Amino acid sequence: MNFCKYKEIIEEGDTVILYLGFNNMHAITVKKGETFQTRYGALRHSDLIGIKFGGKVQCPKGYLITLHPTPELWTVNLPHRTQILYTTDISLVTMQLELRPGSVVVESGTGSGSLSHAIIRSIMPVGHLYTFEFHPQRAALAEQEFQNHGISQYVTVAHRDVCSDGFGIENVADAVFLDLPCPWLALPSAKKALKQQGGRLCSFSPCIEQVQKTCEKLTELDFVELSTMECLVRNFDIRTISLPIADLGPHSGEAANNSSRQKAVLLDIGDADKTQNTSNDENQMKVNTRYHQDLIGQKNETSFCFKSGVPPTQMPGHTGFLTFATLYPQ
Amino acid sequence: MCSTLYSFTAKVILMMESTCLNSIKDESQVLIKKGENIKIFRVKKGRDIFMDNTKFSLDGAIGHPFGTTFDVVKGTLVKVANGSNKEIESAGKDTEGSQLKDNRDLYDLNSNQKLSKEEIERLKKDGVSGNELVEHLIENSLTFQKKTEYSKEKYIKKKKRKHVLQLTILRPTTRLLCEMYSKSAQKICYLRVDTLAQMLTYGNIHAGITVAVVDTCQGLVVGAVMERLGGFGQVIHLYHESIPNRTAVESYDFPVEMMKTLYSFPLNQVNTLTLKKATHEVNNECISNSDETIKDTSEQMDLEPDASRNVCDALIVDKNDISEKRTDVDSDANKLCEKSVGKNKTEGKRTHDESERKARKEQRAKEWKDARDLLERGQLDCLIIASKLHPTPIVRALMKFVAPSRPIVVYSQFKEALMDCGVSLREEGGMVNYRLSETWLREYQVLPQRTHPKIQMSGTGGYLFTATTLAKISVMTE
Ligand SMILES: C[S@@+](CC[C@H](N)C(=O)[O-])C[C@H]1O[C@@H](n2cnc3c(N)ncnc32)[C@H](O)[C@@H]1O
């Protein structure tokens, strides 16, 4: 299969994302004779062959959905060999590096290939990615993955220490991306790798001290438009919330006539409308409609009911700082 | 078939790379960046532009590569030599101990500067460049050496801003256009660069796919998608106003070959779309029907067939709406008024207009037909909505034209609109992987000993709803 070209029907050797729920997906490579254990029992790979991406497949205790892989789905399902970049940061990197079909990109380290897949998707079919990794096994596994995903023609994996040996290429890249412990050591060579007409650079670092050193080196090397940023994502759960209405006890004085709690609520809402010059009848009607369908939600005697986008109580508060810079034509 | 298409378009791309992308030409769209300020212009030989109250010509930029920095000297552009900028910046930098200085001995006095206003003016007239002038000012400042390093830099920056009109000419890209629009975010429905970035990745936008885009953000989203398709694939712009507003797309200066990948279809015809099986006859009927509408309304509104309706719709909404939106709609209405006023003036040219109008109508009918065919095939690879409209009815009307296992991406300035979208789609079924999210972007000042988040940040970049479509036969609940 080609990761970057949608196809309709699942065949042997394809990567399929099995979807069981938002936080419950698995990436598998279809191989006749193998089975995969899921919450719904064993899935025979051969049952996948011939069905549609976006279709469903029956397991003993329920069905799963078969999704076509995308770099985004791969990022949340890939085998971790290192820390990886997630889609929020990847999106910003792709945008800020101005990647598009035809871009030539240099990346280090390859790590688990999470970013690499997204880069390849954005620059193919006429661009190229040179990705550098000094850990021999990681480099080899990444190369194997690109092959399995049918995208190896767009990428060259090099096993190399870019901090001590440099990238070894000159005047080829439109963009450079660094995710290294000491990115400043790779900067002089990164500058050489960029095209003479200039280009963009990004460095991802979790710590501010790394950013500080990187920015100093970038300035020294005549990079301009330096800009460091942080991007976080917040997901919302759409929930129906029902807040109990407090029992504030019986009214005294004037309001004692409207002793039931329901009337108290009505009055409460009605008061807001009194400022407008409406007849009593009209007012009463308005009160009733407001009572049944408030602008924000619904109220009854005992509760106020509404839909809300609820953020998680815990969420990642930091991934890393992204530092971008431009090299103008030399 | 795809591979031949690729290699053909590859040629186009390479051609584009070599001819258009790298150097500034007469008629090029250029972004002029001066400090934080970015503006778009079209180079027109022999014509002056205005920026920062200065009139100058861009002729001097022609032939230079994008990314070149110029000084404005006597109304013309003079290329700045590489690195010459750095010297002046470091002139103010002295070494250790500078951190220890503080401002206890500094008073804000005009007399701190030995050069008088008249002397400065004379230097300028003598043709002393802005940078040289700033150096003179530093030499003649009584307080400069007493300043902390930080205020020295600030001083230089301030003086430069005042006396040096130095600018860099850049090629328009999504990144830079977002930066430009961030100063007038209401024009693009408050869509922020990081949000747009998420839309393009979650939409899995890449070469070779067909994308439908509902865009009332001046075409910025359409342009961003086209940039990522790079001439491979198709974009259908579903537009809201009577004619597509795509100012931003023009800014990109896409080559003609790439513009051919852009199709247009009016939102107010979406309900006439039928999935695939539509016969030729039905198609023709629809086209002639829509011609009818044009004829009817164009009697009153001239070239703006749906303008009157749009204004009405907008105003009705406005009545129940929050005050903030009122200004928005009003200005829209004003624009339309201006337009029709302009039209009345040209009444004399009626007959000429008549034939032109007919030609345009035929042209538009053809465009619509092509877009309609693409949509009705039901093989869209992505649906993106980024508009000021309520998204739910749009998604529901268009989702059946999206192929299975494809992303849909909906942007709104308001979370509630997307909550409605989410709840209603979940009820309808046919999709999985629902997600409602928001991103948060914080920029940093990075300087030795003075690194901290920027004092100002954007409070919102809008919200996103994404989901993945399923094969049509299977009815599913999550
Ligand atoms: C955090 S991981 C990169 C993750 C990657 N961005 C992703 O999204 O999957 C960093 C990688 O850089 C590699 N690395 C560290 N120093 C290196 C060097 N000097 N040269 C090449 N690779 C290096 C490490 O082996 C590691 O795999």
Side-chain angles (χ1 to χ4, degrees):
Chain A
M1 89 179 314
N2 180 338
F3 230 62
C4 301
K5 207 149 110 196
Y6 284 118
K7 62 189 276 191
E8 197 185 347
I9 308 284
I10 299 170
E11 293 168 282
E12 167 134 45
D14 286 353
T15 300
V16 179
I17 309 291
L18 298 174
Y19 181 95
L20 290 92
F22 187 72
N23 285 317
N24 195 352
M25 292 184 248
H26 308 276
I28 64 163
T29 305
V30 179
K31 225 180 190 170
K32 270 189 200 139
E34 291 197 357
T35 54
F36 182 79
Q37 286 302 326
T38 75
R39 193 169 63 187
Y40 300 130
L43 167 72
R44 275 179 303 169
H45 282 209
S46 55
D47 288 349
L48 291 169
I49 296 171
I51 69 165
K52 276 187 179 178
F53 281 109
K56 59 179 180 179
V57 60
Q58 195 64 44
C59 285
K61 284 179 274 174
Y63 61 80
L64 318 173
I65 291 162
T66 51
L67 295 182
H68 197 286
T70 66
E72 288 61 49
L73 289 172
W74 181 248
T75 287
V76 289
N77 289 296
L78 56 77
H80 280 236
R81 301 182 280 269
T82 60
Q83 296 265 35
I84 63 163
L85 246 61
Y86 287 93
T87 301
T88 312
D89 285 320
I90 290 174
S91 304
L92 204 55
V93 168
T94 310
M95 164 74 81
Q96 292 281 337
L97 291 183
E98 303 185 331
L99 304 189
R100 67 189 73 194
S103 300
V104 177
V105 184
V106 166
E107 176 200 28
S108 186
T110 314
S112 308
S114 169
L115 175 66
S116 315
H117 276 82
I119 293 178
I120 292 166
R121 174 264 316 274
S122 300
I123 64 174
M124 64 110 220
V126 278
H128 200 81
L129 171 67
Y130 296 90
T131 182
F132 296 80
E133 171 61 59
F134 74 176
H135 188 286
Q137 197 197 8
R138 285 179 203 153
L141 284 170
E143 176 130 45
Q144 188 58 53
E145 256 171 19
F146 298 140
Q147 217 132 58
N148 293 345
H149 295 162
I151 50 176
S152 57
Q153 66 273 37
Y154 311 123
V155 53
T156 305
V157 183
H159 170 223
R160 193 178 173 104
D161 180 338
V162 297
C163 290
S164 61
D165 306 334
F167 293 98
I169 44 178
E170 278 183 33
N171 192 16
V172 295
D174 297 289
V176 174
F177 176 85
L178 305 175
D179 181 355
L180 298 168
C182 307
W184 53 91
L185 296 177
L187 285 177
S189 170
K191 182 178 174 179
K192 281 195 196 132
L194 284 169
K195 285 181 182 164
Q196 219 147 32
Q197 70 215 45
R200 294 276 291 167
L201 180 137
C202 174
S203 172
F204 173 92
S205 302
C207 302
I208 199 72
E209 290 80 2
Q210 296 169 299
V211 173
Q212 195 86 47
K213 277 193 163 177
T214 305
C215 285
E216 271 169 43
K217 193 73 189 172
L218 282 169
T219 311
E220 191 187 311
L221 290 169
D222 289 331
F223 280 86
V224 291
E225 283 191 79
L226 268 64
S227 134
T228 298
M229 58 189 85
E230 208 185 353
C231 191
L232 291 178
V233 67
R234 191 151 79 135
N235 290 330
F236 299 97
D237 221 6
I238 306 172
R239 291 221 300 258
T240 306
I241 309 290
S242 166
L243 297 183
I245 288 179
D247 176 0
L248 299 176
H251 279 270
S252 60
E254 270 176 62
N257 300 338
N258 312 312
S259 56
S260 90
R261 205 189 292 156
Q262 179 185 336
K263 278 191 185 153
V265 173
L266 283 175
L267 243 192
D268 202 33
I269 304 165
D271 274 349
D273 284 347
K274 280 212 182 105
T275 45
Q276 286 167 20
N277 208 355
T278 43
S279 78
N280 251 357
D281 262 6
E282 252 178 287
N283 211 5
Q284 194 53 45
M285 232 173 65
K286 242 189 192 157
V287 167
N288 277 331
T289 34
R290 288 288 294 273
Y291 168 69
H292 287 298
Q293 178 62 68
D294 191 86
L295 289 175
I296 301 290
Q298 277 181 22
K299 294 192 180 100
N300 62 28
E301 309 94 276
T302 54
S303 63
F304 171 43
C305 214
F306 55 93
K307 283 239 175 350
S308 177
V310 185
T313 49
Q314 282 280 318
M315 59 176 254
H318 181 63
T319 55
F321 299 104
L322 289 165
T323 298
F324 297 97
T326 308
L327 188 67
Y328 284 154
Q330 296 301 287
Chain B
M1 188 207 107
C2 259
S3 62
T4 52
L5 187 77
Y6 275 173
S7 62
F8 164 72
T9 328
K11 267 184 227 150
V12 173
I13 292 264
L14 294 178
M15 206 173 71
M16 207 175 93
E17 284 268 351
S18 55
T19 59
C20 312
L21 292 185
N22 297 329
S23 67
I24 303 159
K25 297 195 163 41
D26 191 16
E27 295 294 319
S28 290
Q29 293 269 15
V30 295
L31 283 174
I32 300 191
K33 185 176 165 93
K34 188 201 172 243
E36 303 275 276
N37 201 351
I38 302 188
K39 276 201 166 129
I40 184 123
F41 292 98
R42 192 183 275 285
V43 178
K44 286 224 187 308
K45 232 179 180 161
R47 213 175 294 170
D48 284 336
I49 63 159
F50 265 100
M51 195 173 174
D52 268 19
N53 298 320
T54 315
K55 195 167 94 167
F56 58 96
S57 140
L58 294 174
D59 292 7
I62 295 174
H64 286 285
F66 280 102
T68 307
T69 302
F70 301 92
D71 273 334
V72 178
V73 181
K74 294 177 187 152
T76 61
L77 293 182
V78 179
K79 185 178 180 243
V80 175
N82 271 347
S84 72
N85 234 1
K86 252 182 144 183
E87 283 161 35
I88 186 154
E89 229 122 81
S90 58
K93 251 179 212 165
D94 63 14
T95 40
E96 308 116 80
S98 62
Q99 302 299 334
L100 301 174
K101 288 182 186 166
D102 56 34
N103 58 9
R104 74 183 76 188
D105 298 327
L106 294 184
Y107 301 94
D108 237 347
L109 292 175
N110 281 333
S111 59
N112 286 342
Q113 179 54 253
K114 283 190 284 185
L115 286 181
S116 69
K117 248 193 195 146
E118 293 73 38
E119 281 170 311
I120 294 173
E121 282 310 310
R122 210 181 44 239
L123 282 172
K124 271 192 183 170
K125 273 212 188 96
D126 291 349
V128 166
S129 81
N131 276 328
E132 284 166 346
L133 186 70
V134 175
E135 275 175 49
H136 277 293
L137 289 172
I138 293 172
E139 273 168 33
N140 289 290
S141 160
L142 295 174
T143 49
F144 186 79
Q145 293 307 331
K146 287 192 208 146
K147 287 177 193 278
T148 64
E149 197 170 302
Y150 183 49
S151 12
K152 276 181 187 173
E153 256 170 57
K154 242 177 147 174
Y155 177 88
I156 293 171
K157 268 204 186 129
K158 205 171 119 197
K159 292 298 169 196
K160 277 187 132 181
R161 215 175 306 141
K162 192 162 167 199
H163 298 291
V164 187
L165 185 48
Q166 190 171 80
L167 41 87
T168 304
I169 301 194
L170 298 167
R171 178 161 54 94
T173 60
T174 306
R175 168 180 73 94
L176 291 164
L177 287 172
C178 283
E179 201 176 321
M180 181 178 87
Y181 277 114
S182 67
K183 305 272 158 37
S184 49
Q186 75 284 358
K187 285 188 186 162
I188 52 166
C189 307
Y190 299 88
L191 177 62
R192 201 174 51 202
V193 62
D194 50 316
T195 315
L196 179 54
Q198 309 296 320
M199 294 171 70
L200 297 169
T201 41
Y202 279 102
N204 193 18
I205 305 301
H206 62 273
I209 64 170
T210 305
V211 189
V213 185
V214 178
D215 175 332
T216 67
C217 304
Q218 309 240 325
L220 181 63
V221 182
V222 173
V225 169
M226 287 175 73
E227 185 181 84
R228 290 283 173 95
L229 293 195
F232 308 95
Q234 287 99 19
V235 185
I236 305 151
H237 179 201
L238 292 132
Y239 59 93
H240 167 56
E241 308 288 345
S242 51
I243 40 167
N245 174 357
R246 286 199 290 252
T247 320
V249 175
E250 282 161 36
S251 304
Y252 282 90
D253 228 0
F254 291 127
V256 190
E257 289 76 10
M258 233 164 122
M259 286 306 286
K260 285 186 188 149
T261 63
L262 174 60
Y263 298 76
S264 308
F265 196 77
L267 272 178
N268 66 11
Q269 298 286 315
V270 162
N271 282 336
T272 70
L273 293 170
T274 41
L275 195 55
K276 216 174 186 174
K277 300 287 175 274
T279 67
H280 249 237
E281 258 167 303
V282 173
N283 268 338
N284 287 338
E285 203 183 295
C286 287
I287 294 270
S288 58
N289 267 349
S290 41
D291 272 1
E292 217 63 60
T293 11
I294 293 172
K295 227 179 278 161
D296 282 350
T297 36
S298 60
E299 302 277 282
Q300 315 150 1
M301 289 300 287
D302 216 343
L303 289 171
E304 308 277 357
D306 305 315
S308 58
R309 256 197 53 207
N310 283 329
V311 177
C312 292
D313 285 352
L315 289 178
I316 289 165
V317 171
D318 186 30
K319 260 186 206 159
N320 309 325
D321 214 338
I322 44 173
S323 55
E324 192 183 297
K325 200 168 173 188
R326 184 178 289 264
T327 51
D328 234 74
V329 173
D330 280 350
S331 71
D332 272 3
N334 280 341
K335 241 189 286 161
L336 288 167
C337 289
E338 272 165 35
K339 269 186 200 162
S340 36
V341 169
K343 296 266 153 50
N344 288 340
K345 278 187 199 154
T346 60
E347 201 132 349
K349 293 191 292 176
R350 259 267 129 98
T351 43
H352 179 65
D353 280 358
E354 203 81 35
S355 61
E356 211 174 77
R357 198 165 67 204
K358 210 174 152 209
R360 204 171 314 180
K361 204 165 65 186
E362 274 163 19
Q363 170 72 19
R364 183 154 27 175
K366 174 167 187 325
E367 275 173 23
W368 285 5
K369 166 111 176 40
D370 292 346
R372 171 184 294 275
D373 289 349
L374 263 178
L375 288 164
E376 290 186 333
R377 228 181 275 166
Q379 288 299 316
L380 292 177
D381 295 306
C382 180
L383 169 64
I384 293 191
I385 299 175
S387 77
K388 59 182 175 191
L389 307 164
H390 180 41
T392 310
I394 305 177
V395 181
R396 293 179 63 140
L398 288 169
M399 59 187 264
K400 58 175 170 288
F401 302 108
V402 183
S405 197
R406 302 292 197 275
I408 66 153
V409 179
V410 186
Y411 166 83
S412 175
Q413 190 193 340
F414 304 104
K415 186 169 58 184
E416 289 70 16
L418 299 179
M419 283 161 51
D420 182 67
C421 210
V423 171
S424 132
L425 290 180
R426 203 176 289 236
E427 221 170 70
E428 182 153 332
M431 290 196 209
V432 286
N433 212 13
Y434 300 101
R435 179 168 178 268
L436 174 58
S437 66
E438 161 193 43
T439 46
W440 179 89
L441 185 69
R442 181 166 220 165
E443 291 184 74
Y444 284 77
Q445 163 186 302
V446 181
L447 289 169
Q449 307 291 324
R450 275 170 278 128
T451 296
H452 59 70
K454 293 218 167 135
I455 307 297
Q456 287 289 325
M457 74 181 274
S458 150
T460 175
Y463 300 86
L464 283 186
F465 174 79
T466 58
T468 308
T469 57
L470 295 177
K472 269 116 209 163
I473 21 144
S474 44
V475 183
M476 254 152 223
T477 47
E478 230 186 302

